[in-house]
Amino acid sequence: PYHRTLEERLAAVGIPLVKVNPRQARRFAEATGKLAKTDRVDALMLARYGALLDPVARPVRTDLQNRLAELVAARRSLMRD
């Protein structure tokens, strides 16, 4: 939920956004041999990831879609418990 405001504002001004799975980004960094954990290195690796793998930008989910996803996640959690 912390990133939703950023997503909405970027979408409002027409800037495409790609959400990357952190595990995939980490594996990409491992594969390229760049595991230093600094903001600068992370930013460069994510830029390289985007340039080489060309991930697909998807439209921002609506408020209703976000609320439904939260309900589904809560239901799954309750069913597990």
Side-chain angles (χ1 to χ4, degrees), residues 14-76:
I15 297 174
L17 170 75
V18 175
K19 288 194 270 185
V20 176
N21 181 320
R23 185 178 305 142
Q24 289 175 334
R26 173 108 175 130
R27 287 184 179 156
F28 179 82
E30 288 172 356
T32 59
K34 304 278 185 186
L35 281 180
K37 193 68 181 143
T38 66
D39 290 343
R40 186 178 190 324
V41 171
D42 285 347
L44 290 170
M45 288 310 302
L46 289 172
R48 191 170 180 194
Y49 178 95
L52 292 174
L53 301 181
D54 197 25
V56 178
R58 302 190 194 291
V60 176
R61 292 193 309 190
T62 65
D63 187 46
L64 177 60
Q65 289 172 320
N66 285 328
R67 286 188 283 156
L68 287 172
E70 288 171 4
L71 289 172
V72 168
R75 181 180 182 274
R76 284 185 183 142

Side-chain angles (χ1 to χ4, degrees), residues 4-17 59-61:
R4 287 187 190 145
T5 303
L6 174 63
E7 288 178 11
E8 291 167 359
R9 291 191 180 169
L10 289 173
V13 294
I15 297 174
L17 170 75
V60 176
R61 292 193 309 190

